[in-house]
C-alpha cells in the first residue's frame, strides 16, 4: 500500500529520498482518505519501521525516516467486569465442605484480592505465602520481575484453612 501511495504521489525515484514528512503525509492519507483506525495505521507504521530498519542495517540508506516515529494512540474499549450478583454466584459455587471446594474458593479469593494473572497464581508455592508479613511472593510473572503482593486479614485466614 505504501508503494502504491508513493507511485500516486510520484515519489518512486529513489527510496533514499523518502523523508519523515513523506511518512507523516502517508499516515494522514491512511487516516483521512482510507479512514483506517489508529490500530490499523500502527500496523502499517510497524511494517515501515521494519522495512526502513532493514534498509538502514543493510546500508542501502544512511538514516531511516522512521527513526523516532511514534505509534498512534489507540483507545481501548471498556472492559466488562462481573456484577456483584455474578461475583456472589461465582464465590458461592464451590462446595466449601469438601477439600476441592475450599481449594477452589481460596483460589478465587486470591485472584480477586490480588489481581494476579492465572499463570502467576497457579505458580505460587506454599513457601511463597508469607502469612506473618501478609505477602505473597509472585515468581512467574509476565515480564520476569518477581514481586510481593499484599494480602488482607481475610485472605490470610482463608489461606490458613
Amino acid at each position: 500500500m505504501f508503494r502504491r501511495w508513493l507511485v500516486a504521489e510520484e515519489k518512486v525515484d529513489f527510496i533514499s529520498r523518502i523523508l519523515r514528512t513523506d511518512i507523516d503525509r502517508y499516515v494522514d492519507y491512511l487516516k483521512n482518505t482510507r479512514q483506517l483506525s489508529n490500530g490499523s495505521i500502527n500496523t502499517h507504521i510497524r511494517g515501515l519501521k521494519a522495512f526502513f530498519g532493514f534498509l538502514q542495517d543493510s546500508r542501502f540508506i544512511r538514516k531511516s525516516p522512521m527513526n523516532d516515529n511514534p505509534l498512534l494512540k489507540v483507545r481501548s474499549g471498556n472492559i466488562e467486569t462481573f456484577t456483584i450478583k455474578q461475583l456472589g454466584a461465582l464465590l458461592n459455587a464451590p462446595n466449601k465442605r469438601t477439600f476441592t471446594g475450599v481449594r477452589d474458593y481460596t483460589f478465587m479469593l486470591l485472584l480477586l484480592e490480588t489481581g494476579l494473572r492465572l499463570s502467576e497464581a497457579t505458580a505460587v508455592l506454599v513457601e511463597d505465602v508469607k502469612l506473618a508479613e501478609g505477602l505473597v511472593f509472585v515468581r512467574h510473572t509476565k515480564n520476569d520481575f518477581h514481586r510481593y503482593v499484599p494480602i488482607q486479614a481475610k485472605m490470610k485466614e482463608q489461606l490458613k484453612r
Side-chain angles (χ1 to χ4, degrees):
M1 190 181 293
F2 182 63
R3 187 181 68 74
R4 283 186 295 224
W5 180 82
L6 288 173
V7 169
E9 294 289 313
E10 299 177 359
K11 294 278 295 177
V12 285
D13 48 354
F14 290 103
I15 197 81
S16 61
R17 292 191 183 152
I18 294 174
L19 304 171
R20 169 71 186 264
T21 55
D22 298 320
I23 301 298
D24 292 340
R25 285 181 36 235
Y26 177 64
V27 169
D28 288 339
Y29 162 78
L30 293 175
K31 186 180 279 190
N32 299 324
T33 306
R34 297 289 305 230
Q35 296 182 338
L36 296 180
S37 69
N38 286 359
S40 296
I41 293 171
N42 284 343
T43 302
H44 287 266
I45 292 172
R46 284 185 196 98
L48 289 174
K49 279 186 180 191
F51 175 65
F52 282 104
F54 167 77
L55 292 177
Q56 185 176 358
D57 292 345
S58 301
R59 300 182 193 263
F60 288 110
I61 60 175
R62 283 192 194 134
K63 185 178 179 217
S64 169
M66 297 303 295
N67 289 347
D68 303 322
N69 198 332
L71 297 175
L72 301 178
K73 296 209 183 286
V74 178
R75 215 179 248 188
S76 60
N78 292 339
I79 297 172
E80 294 283 328
T81 59
F82 290 117
T83 65
I84 298 297
K85 185 177 178 182
Q86 290 171 327
L87 199 53
L90 190 60
L91 291 173
N92 288 326
N95 181 356
K96 296 176 195 143
R97 290 183 224 155
T98 64
F99 170 78
T100 55
V102 172
R103 178 202 61 198
D104 294 348
Y105 178 74
T106 304
F107 193 74
M108 287 190 290
L109 279 182
L110 181 69
L111 290 172
L112 182 64
E113 181 165 329
T114 60
L116 293 177
R117 291 180 172 85
L118 186 61
S119 60
E120 293 173 339
T122 56
V124 171
L125 303 174
V126 173
E127 57 266 19
D128 293 338
V129 179
K130 313 291 185 207
L131 289 177
E133 293 90 13
L135 297 170
V136 175
F137 181 64
V138 183
R139 64 180 72 240
H140 294 286
T141 62
K142 180 179 175 182
N143 57 10
D144 290 328
F145 291 116
H146 309 312
R147 68 182 189 276
Y148 283 96
V149 178
I151 54 174
Q152 296 180 21
K154 185 175 181 177
M155 186 73 237
K156 289 194 312 190
E157 288 301 316
Q158 186 61 36
L159 285 169
K160 283 180 190 175
R161 274 187 230 125

